[in-house]
Amino acid sequence: MIVSWAADPETTSGSYGAQEGTVRRQWLKNPKLGIKVVHVDPYYNATAQFLPGKWFAPKPTTSPAMAMAIAYVWIKEGLYDKEYVKTHTEGFDKWAAYLTGEEDGIAKTPEWQEKETGVPAKDVRALAREWGSKRVYLAPGGWGNGHGGACRNQTGIQWARVMVCLSAMQGLGKPGCNMGNLQWGCPVDFNFYFPGYSEGGMSGDLENTAMPVALYQRMPQLPTMNSNGQMIPRIFLPEAIYEGKAEGYRWVGKSIEHQFGKFMYPSPGASPVKMLYKYGGSILGTMNNTNRHVRMYQSEQLEFVVNQSIWFEGEAKFADVVLPACTNFERTDISEWAGLGGYGHHGQQQLNHRVIIFQAPAIKPLGESKSDYWIFNEICKRLGLSNYFSEGINELDWVKRLYLASDLPKVISFKKLLKRGYYVVPAEKEKLRAPVSFRWFWEGRKKDVPEAQPLPSDYMDEFLKGLQTQSGKLEFDCNSLKRAKDPERPPIVKYEPSWEGPHSPEFGRYPLQLLTPHSKYSFHTQGDGKSSFLNNIADHRVKVDGWYYWVLRLNAEDAKARGIKKNDLVKIYNDRGAVICAALPTQRLSRGVCHGYESSAVYAPMGEPGKSVDRGGCLNLLTPHKTQTKSTHSLAGAQSIVQVELWDGRIEHMSETFAAMERDATIKQSLRDAHLVPAK
């Protein structure tokens, strides 16, 4: 059996991997295999449609409670691998005491979870019993198996941890017991070297890219090193600018220990930020509670903004200077499809073949647009650093240098690569293929899979022996968290209801839970031609009165109660902002839940930015920016509480939160002017 939990790879298949995994998941439809598929998701998503099976629809943010109830049944009925738990894990007794109620007097039964999730207790008990009697491939969302999912809402850390706990109880690494979604793990050649997009390339910062790991040894160049070590994670950027201070924790994937490193802004001795050079991406489309970023752009503390963009849309309009960049169809480059090196390991394994591409320009740059390389080099000329940046060569020369630094010269000449335009890396022979993930752990061998991490310093005893936990085992009782003393992240995973949901005091005013996963039709803003044929897809945008509106899905009964019909323009709002969308009543959501894709929208306020409705579909105006826990850098914006009503045509929307901040800021400034409080 396969249990797909908060995963929708048919929509969000991975990083830049297109829909390569679909053909592999289609294999599951073969009735002769007899493999059942179960889907756990508040939304009946595209993968559930593609691979029909039993659908469980827990209320958003409550999946950890449902998972704990499954573990409770396993403990009470002996449906878990006791020998594996004894030999490969640590701390199980403490977690079991919590689940059975010995610790807090509350047994985490299927009946207990029903009050939180809305999923009938009998169904959860039946799932637990079937799961505990079969070999089950757990297919959770998150990295590699469909981006997003339950890990990106307020209880995401709980959910991620409890998914590992369920796998540990069934024997992670045993044949048939692993994690995935038939998305990553193809038998491609991991040993063939070609640098990924975060490995530097040219003029790569030795400190803040993966260049020194491999590429710098293969392609020495004039080293670049940023002398300013001050960093501000994006989630904290607005407060850092308009309040002049920020603190928290960065996400660093180098080792477990990095999670405890706190950052402070401004750093000791460092200058406060006065200028923002915005290069690519879309903060307003991809970050949370993004009216904060609007306020940041409007702040007098931010004296100068440069935006280097392909399209004049969204936050490019906040810039003092716009540098028009051309697309990848108008410049020379070399790249590998889904090559994530330096950002994620071996992203190519989500593809059926590794493909390296020489990107020849199809046309000359349109209008006044130039390549990013040209723009940076022209700026460097004014700084007297052009030769240092470019090393005196052009873009095609850099393409050749990357070619020479890779393994490509062993298999194809540069002249032939330019003529053909691509090279398909052959798969390795079967006996040389990478082993199954975690099989080594189950069998008690040293790690023999090709991921570069963990680093040697993370191992407890001997390099490659055991997991990178402090015990070397799967830890139900996490040793590294014992010294953190964070009540929001205890050593054993516990269920704590979301602060943005039915337990919130604001739920009476905003009774709908909004899900905002990634779009099926684009990846962030990439691939989403705003004036292309994609707008003809009714599930993507709907044209009403000459404007293409984002689609908001809501339960048919909730829509009927509000007098809302298909394609009606509705206002979805909370204290953070308001967005106008085209409504789509559906039975693919339970009552009380609505759904709209995030991150590919265009910020298009109909009046004053930050104080009016948006009609570009920028639903991240509504999502919370608070981290999942105070001691982590973990976004919690994939779910928010909102209200939906028919739009009355008014464009004014002054959020109460924004108004309160404005009042608070005015009062504080008045007190400072009167010298009644310190200036800081």
Side-chain angles (χ1 to χ4, degrees):
M1 187 165 71
I2 288 180
V3 176
S4 178
W5 202 316
D8 185 14
E10 290 305 314
T11 292
T12 50
S13 60
S15 287
Y16 319 110
Q19 298 294 326
E20 288 277 284
T22 298
V23 68
R24 299 190 292 277
R25 284 184 291 275
Q26 188 169 340
W27 166 79
L28 289 169
K29 289 188 169 187
N30 186 344
K32 295 180 181 179
L33 294 173
I35 297 176
K36 294 181 68 173
V37 181
V38 171
H39 300 276
V40 185
D41 196 314
Y43 178 57
Y44 191 72
N45 58 46
T47 304
Q49 290 183 304
F50 182 65
L51 297 171
K54 176 68 177 179
W55 174 38
F56 293 81
K59 296 175 184 176
T61 75
T62 66
S63 275
M66 179 176 165
M68 289 176 183
I70 290 172
Y72 171 89
V73 174
W74 290 350
I75 291 171
K76 287 297 184 180
E77 300 185 10
L79 297 174
Y80 66 98
D81 191 329
K82 300 180 183 63
E83 182 62 25
Y84 184 96
V85 167
K86 180 180 178 181
T87 57
H88 288 70
T89 76
E90 183 174 287
F92 177 70
D93 290 345
K94 290 187 178 180
W95 195 52
Y98 170 73
L99 294 178
T100 57
E102 292 179 31
E103 179 188 314
D104 59 3
I106 303 173
K108 312 309 180 291
T109 64
E111 287 72 22
W112 164 82
Q113 69 82 42
E114 183 174 347
K115 297 175 183 177
E116 287 292 314
T117 69
V119 178
K122 64 179 180 60
D123 291 347
V124 172
R125 187 170 280 106
L127 174 60
R129 288 170 176 167
E130 186 162 10
W131 188 338
S133 62
K134 289 183 174 182
R135 293 195 297 179
V136 173
Y137 184 63
L138 178 58
W143 180 251
N145 296 295
H147 277 21
C151 58
R152 289 186 171 180
N153 64 44
Q154 298 81 38
T155 59
I157 291 174
Q158 300 174 41
W159 176 79
R161 292 179 68 184
V162 81
M163 289 295 104
V164 177
C165 289
L166 293 182
S167 294
M169 290 180 71
Q170 294 301 331
L172 181 65
K174 291 166 52 180
C177 182
N178 223 313
M179 289 190 181
N181 225 310
L182 295 182
Q183 179 60 34
W184 285 36
C186 280
V188 296
D189 184 351
F190 295 111
N191 295 311
F192 190 94
Y193 179 75
F194 187 85
Y197 75 81
S198 280
E199 288 189 69
M202 49 83 58
S203 199
D205 185 347
L206 289 178
E207 181 68 25
N208 297 302
T209 72
M211 173 178 269
V213 176
L215 181 58
Y216 191 71
Q217 281 74 24
R218 288 171 167 262
M219 190 180 76
Q221 54 187 278
L222 294 175
T224 301
M225 193 170 259
N226 188 356
S227 59
N228 184 354
Q230 179 168 261
M231 288 188 174
I232 309 170
R234 281 187 305 168
I235 192 173
F236 302 108
L237 185 60
E239 289 75 18
I241 298 297
Y242 57 67
E243 293 181 1
K245 61 181 181 179
E247 63 178 49
Y249 294 83
R250 292 174 53 212
W251 185 90
V252 184
K254 294 178 181 177
S255 75
I256 286 179
E257 296 304 310
H258 276 77
Q259 68 177 300
F260 301 111
K262 194 172 185 177
F263 88 92
M264 302 270 305
Y265 170 83
S267 297
S271 169
V273 172
K274 295 294 182 182
M275 171 183 169
L276 177 64
Y277 193 123
K278 182 69 177 61
Y279 166 63
S282 173
I283 288 178
L284 295 178
T286 59
M287 294 305 292
N288 307 131
N289 190 5
T290 42
N291 266 326
R292 297 160 49 245
H293 291 84
V294 172
R295 187 181 178 195
M296 173 194 75
Y297 279 119
Q298 296 169 335
S299 170
E300 293 182 358
Q301 306 302 319
L302 193 61
E303 298 175 1
F304 190 59
V305 177
V306 178
N307 192 291
Q308 188 167 322
S309 293
I310 296 173
W311 295 283
F312 186 61
E313 65 182 30
E315 61 209 271
K317 298 179 181 180
F318 287 103
D320 297 290
V321 172
V322 177
L323 301 178
C326 66
T327 68
N328 59 311
F329 300 108
E330 301 162 88
R331 58 174 173 78
T332 302
D333 208 340
I334 188 170
S335 64
E336 179 176 4
W337 188 13
L340 311 180
Y343 179 71
H345 294 303
H346 308 306
Q348 307 94 328
Q349 64 179 301
Q350 61 189 301
L351 305 175
N352 297 318
H353 303 88
R354 289 187 64 180
V355 184
I356 299 166
I357 304 161
F358 167 64
Q359 296 176 227
I363 59 172
K364 292 181 179 180
L366 294 175
E368 297 181 350
S369 67
K370 303 291 184 181
S371 71
D372 294 316
Y373 178 87
W374 187 94
I375 293 171
F376 290 139
N377 199 36
E378 288 298 309
I379 293 173
C380 286
K381 285 180 181 179
R382 274 69 168 178
L383 298 172
L385 294 170
S386 175
N387 286 337
Y388 194 88
F389 172 77
S390 68
E391 300 192 24
I393 61 178
N394 62 28
E395 289 171 270
L396 185 58
D397 293 326
W398 275 107
V399 166
K400 187 170 185 180
R401 287 187 69 177
L402 275 169
Y403 158 84
L404 292 171
S406 73
D407 285 343
L408 282 171
K410 300 176 183 178
V411 293
I412 187 172
S413 69
F414 188 63
K415 184 178 180 180
K416 188 172 182 179
L417 178 66
L418 296 186
K419 184 177 181 180
R420 181 193 288 177
Y422 66 92
Y423 177 74
V424 179
V425 181
E428 287 191 312
K429 294 180 180 179
E430 190 167 351
K431 63 181 180 180
L432 297 175
R433 291 176 182 172
V436 175
S437 184
F438 292 109
R439 186 65 50 81
W440 61 272
F441 178 67
W442 176 60
E443 294 180 351
R445 297 181 284 105
K446 283 191 174 183
K447 183 177 179 181
D448 58 1
V449 289
E451 290 85 25
Q453 287 173 308
L455 300 176
S457 60
D458 261 357
Y459 284 93
M460 180 65 182
D461 295 316
E462 188 178 348
F463 182 52
L464 298 178
K465 186 177 181 180
L467 300 175
Q468 66 265 42
T469 58
Q470 292 177 357
S471 66
K473 297 181 178 181
L474 285 161
E475 295 183 350
F476 290 94
D477 188 26
C478 298
N479 287 303
S480 63
L481 292 179
K482 290 178 181 177
R483 72 176 188 275
K485 293 180 173 55
D486 179 0
E488 295 180 301
R489 198 162 52 131
I492 61 169
V493 59
K494 297 182 178 181
Y495 178 66
E496 185 66 33
S498 168
W499 36 261
E500 177 99 1
H503 293 271
S504 168
E506 298 296 314
F507 194 63
R509 297 170 59 213
Y510 303 119
L512 298 178
Q513 291 183 269
L514 170 67
L515 294 171
T516 49
H518 275 78
S519 172
K520 183 179 177 67
Y521 309 103
S522 55
F523 187 98
H524 290 175
T525 57
Q526 293 166 318
D528 185 24
K530 301 300 192 294
S531 58
S532 74
F533 70 93
L534 288 178
N535 284 339
N536 297 329
I537 301 173
D539 193 46
H540 188 43
R541 288 187 176 90
V542 173
K543 190 174 184 179
V544 180
D545 297 332
W547 181 267
Y548 285 100
Y549 287 91
W550 213 239
V551 176
L552 178 76
R553 299 155 198 84
L554 66 165
N555 174 271
E557 294 301 313
D558 288 333
K560 184 177 180 181
R562 290 164 171 78
I564 295 171
K565 302 183 296 297
K566 184 177 179 179
N567 293 344
D568 280 347
L569 294 182
V570 295
K571 181 170 101 171
I572 177 170
Y573 65 97
N574 56 25
D575 283 356
R576 303 179 186 107
V579 182
I580 308 303
C581 293
L584 178 60
T586 178
Q587 295 293 352
R588 293 168 65 181
L589 292 161
S590 301
R591 292 211 66 172
V593 183
C594 53
H595 173 289
Y597 293 125
E598 65 92 27
S599 83
S600 301
V602 180
Y603 180 61
M606 298 185 74
E608 183 180 350
K611 298 181 181 180
S612 62
V613 299
D614 164 68
R615 64 172 180 173
C618 201
L619 293 174
N620 266 324
L621 294 170
L622 314 176
T623 55
H625 71 277
K626 179 181 174 183
T627 57
Q628 291 183 31
T629 74
K630 293 178 182 178
S631 66
T632 57
H633 178 214
S634 46
L635 297 181
Q639 186 271 160
S640 55
I641 54 174
V642 299
Q643 181 58 286
V644 177
E645 60 188 35
L646 284 167
W647 184 37
D648 60 6
R650 295 176 67 251
I651 66 171
E652 298 82 15
H653 178 81
M654 179 71 155
S655 82
E656 294 176 21
T657 300
F658 188 88
M661 287 193 298
E662 290 282 278
R663 289 194 302 271
D664 189 46
T666 302
I667 292 169
K668 285 182 179 178
Q669 190 59 51
S670 298
L671 292 173
R672 292 190 191 107
D673 293 342
H675 304 289
L676 296 176
V677 297
K680 71 175 182 178

